[in-house]
């Protein structure tokens, strides 16, 4: 049962239950809902103007990372994301999955791209020497490379 629909980000009762648990993994719906909230409620981000920030849906990030292969696909995706001719900060949720299987993700991090400087930062709760940190960095690097094709840096 849908609990709330906010700019096409749907939270179900089961998603809200995840947020109530202290030891549960966030899912795509929870992360996408947060991205939509940040994108459409400027009080959260304190970024003014229409081109300040872009929050990319986790499913779009996975599509870009795992399925986009040729220039036409990247151009279509860039057009749909409205990324041309503006300066912005892009927030991309990164998961450790290298597969299209729904249940294959176990860790999330954040890739932040500053289009006006062509710089990307990867923010992760893993320390560099923890198991899995290398795989997460690989996924962030792969996503940054795919995203750079959208922007033609």
């Amino acid at each position: 049962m849908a609990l709330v629909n906010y700019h096409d980000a749907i939270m179900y009762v089961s998603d809200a239950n995840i947020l109530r648990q202290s030891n549960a993994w966030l899912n795509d719906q929870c992360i996408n809902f947060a991205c939509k909230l940040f994108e459409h409620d400027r009080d959260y981000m304190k970024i003014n103007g229409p081109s300040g920030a872009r929050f990319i849906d986790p499913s779009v990030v996975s599509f870009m990372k795992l399925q986009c292969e040729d220039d036409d696909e990247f151009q279509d995706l860039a057009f749909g994301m409205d990324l041309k001719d503006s300066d912005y900060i892009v927030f991309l949720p990164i998961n450790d999955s290298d597969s299209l299987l729904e249940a294959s993700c176990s860790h999330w991090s954040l890739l932040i791209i500053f289009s006006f400087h062509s710089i990307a930062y990867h923010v992760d709760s893993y320390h560099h020497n923890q198991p899995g940190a290398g795989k997460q960095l690989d996924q962030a690097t792969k996503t940054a490379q795919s995203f750079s094709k959208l922007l033609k840096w």
Side-chain angles (χ1 to χ4, degrees):
M1 169 192 272
L3 186 61
V4 65
N5 182 340
Y6 185 76
H7 294 275
D8 293 329
I10 300 173
M11 282 284 284
Y12 295 95
V13 172
S14 59
D15 302 321
N17 289 337
I18 288 172
L19 297 175
R20 291 185 185 110
Q21 299 173 24
S22 62
N23 61 347
W25 296 104
L26 293 177
N27 62 17
D28 289 14
Q29 288 85 0
C30 292
I31 292 171
N32 185 43
F33 186 83
C35 287
K36 291 294 184 181
L37 182 65
F38 295 151
E39 182 175 11
H40 293 283
D41 190 338
R42 296 292 180 186
D43 290 336
Y44 273 93
M45 293 302 295
K46 303 292 185 203
I47 297 174
N48 297 320
S51 63
R54 300 282 194 274
F55 295 85
I56 308 302
D57 183 314
S59 62
V60 173
V61 174
S62 291
F63 172 77
M64 178 180 61
K65 179 177 74 170
L66 300 173
Q67 292 182 286
C68 279
E69 295 177 353
D70 61 36
D71 287 342
D72 289 339
E73 290 174 327
F74 282 105
Q75 287 176 343
D76 288 346
L77 188 57
F79 179 76
M81 295 168 91
D82 189 27
L83 295 173
K84 295 293 183 190
D85 302 323
S86 65
D87 291 335
Y88 44 80
I89 302 169
V90 182
F91 297 87
L92 299 110
I94 305 296
N95 66 41
D96 61 352
S97 177
D98 53 7
S99 161
L100 294 174
L101 298 175
E102 182 177 327
S104 64
C105 169
S106 65
H107 181 72
W108 289 92
S109 62
L110 184 64
L111 184 65
I112 306 169
I113 297 177
F114 296 84
S115 71
F116 41 90
H117 294 301
S118 299
I119 293 175
Y121 294 97
H122 181 231
V123 181
D124 194 351
S125 61
Y126 273 153
H127 295 288
H128 68 280
N129 58 353
Q130 283 182 294
K135 181 176 182 183
Q136 192 68 9
L137 181 58
D138 290 345
Q139 295 301 323
T141 301
K142 184 176 182 178
T143 303
Q145 290 168 343
S146 291
F147 195 80
S148 71
K149 292 178 185 177
L150 292 178
L151 302 177
K152 302 279 184 184
W153 283 345

